[in-house]
Amino acid sequence: MVEISTSILSMKKGEENKTILALETSKTDYFHIDVMDGKFVQNNTYNKMLEYSSYIKRISNLPLDVHLMVEDVKHAIDDFLAVEPNIITFHLEACKTKEEVFEIIKYIKENNCKVGISIKPDTKIEDVYEFLPYIHMCLIMTVEPGKGGQSLILETLEKIKELKRYIEENKIEIDIEADGGINLATVEDVKKAGANILVAGTAILMAKDYKIIIDELKKE
Ligand code: DX5
Ligand code: ZN
């Protein structure tokens, strides 16, 4: 059974409390926190996501799945560790050297948090292979990072298939999270490709009844 990580990026202002509690009763498995710094990607959601995260911590016990789309990864890790996330995922493309990648992995783990690496649609899947034995999750962007409501880029499904084959062949225990443009029309292909955690924002938040959509997305 796949798990659902609901992106709260497009949560309506003033309806945060209602939305978070409704998502909890609708059995989302995680809250997906899309942190954007206005440099790695154009949008800046940094402070809003910090605020939302600490708010969620106060009213819900569901785990936070933090997705850092930032240039200054270390600084963002320090800020978001404060809301005790379940996992912090950073972008491979934000690191200049492999030493830096390994250093960030170590730093997140030392702070008792799970670690994920995310790659953009144009980044080759092979680029992440050497880090897989040391992390808990690989986040495959199925849209260009930076905003919600985009259409899934079909070519990215090949990367998920490749990654699935590679981790099975090399017996690497790791979650594969797909993120972007996932809805009732695209979810079957994403699951078939091998993702076991699906991020959905628009598809869930625009629905009247979140539970119907979440149940549909989870359906075997
Ligand atoms: C995009 C974010 C995604 C996005 C998902 O940069 O990483 O998590 O918000 O939203 P939808 O499901 O609307 O594509
Ligand atoms: Zn995301």
Side-chain angles (χ1 to χ4, degrees):
M1 169 88 92
V2 294
E3 291 183 301
I4 300 298
S5 185
T6 303
S7 163
I8 56 164
L9 189 63
S10 30
M11 201 156 64
K12 287 195 195 73
K13 200 117 193 67
E15 296 185 3
E16 292 85 353
N17 189 60
K18 192 177 101 196
T19 306
I20 289 162
L21 294 178
L23 284 169
E24 184 162 39
T25 42
S26 305
K27 301 266 180 278
T28 185
D29 297 287
Y30 307 91
F31 289 108
H32 185 79
I33 311 294
D34 280 312
V35 183
M36 303 174 187
D37 64 354
K39 294 181 217 143
F40 184 78
V41 292
Q42 213 177 355
N43 275 340
N44 188 329
T45 66
Y46 201 94
N47 294 330
K48 187 167 83 167
M49 287 302 136
L50 253 186
E51 196 192 304
Y52 280 172
S53 300
S54 29
Y55 187 69
I56 291 172
K57 286 312 274 187
R58 281 204 301 276
I59 63 169
S60 165
N61 297 321
L62 285 184
L64 299 183
D65 164 31
V66 173
H67 176 197
L68 297 180
M69 291 161 273
V70 302
E71 274 180 8
D72 186 348
V73 178
K74 228 34 191 327
H75 172 79
I77 291 168
D78 287 337
D79 279 344
F80 280 84
L81 279 172
V83 294
E84 296 165 335
N86 181 54
I87 185 163
I88 294 179
T89 299
F90 64 99
H91 267 267
L92 187 62
E93 302 90 354
C95 300
K96 294 180 187 56
T97 65
K98 73 162 89 173
E99 289 69 28
E100 191 186 343
V101 179
F102 281 117
E103 201 199 299
I104 292 173
I105 292 170
K106 187 163 162 287
Y107 186 68
I108 294 174
K109 283 178 164 176
E110 273 166 3
N111 282 280
N112 302 315
C113 182
K114 284 184 172 179
V115 52
I117 292 180
S118 180
I119 54 170
K120 299 201 293 191
D122 291 348
T123 300
K124 293 195 319 303
I125 190 67
E126 295 78 13
D127 292 356
V128 79
Y129 284 174
E130 65 184 299
F131 307 110
L132 295 179
Y134 308 97
I135 62 176
H136 301 90
M137 180 170 88
C138 184
L139 192 169
I140 304 290
M141 288 304 299
T142 41
V143 294
E144 273 308 315
K147 61 181 186 322
Q150 302 175 79
S151 310
L152 184 137
I153 302 168
L154 279 175
E155 292 75 6
T156 59
L157 299 183
E158 287 315 307
K159 292 166 67 177
I160 296 175
K161 284 178 194 153
E162 266 301 292
L163 175 61
K164 182 76 178 163
R165 194 191 47 69
Y166 181 83
I167 63 174
E168 284 176 343
E169 236 167 60
N170 294 280
K171 299 191 180 19
I172 299 171
E173 289 275 306
I174 190 167
D175 285 323
I176 300 177
E177 183 171 274
D179 182 7
I182 297 176
N183 52 43
L184 299 189
T186 58
V187 65
E188 284 320 309
D189 290 339
V190 178
K191 286 194 273 196
K192 248 186 265 147
N196 67 300
I197 303 178
L198 311 179
V199 175
T202 310
I204 296 172
L205 293 185
M206 73 174 186
K208 258 203 323 303
D209 183 327
Y210 300 150
K211 183 154 181 22
I212 293 177
I213 300 290
I214 289 174
D215 288 349
E216 273 300 305
L217 291 170
K218 283 188 179 182
K219 221 159 68 180
E220 292 292 283

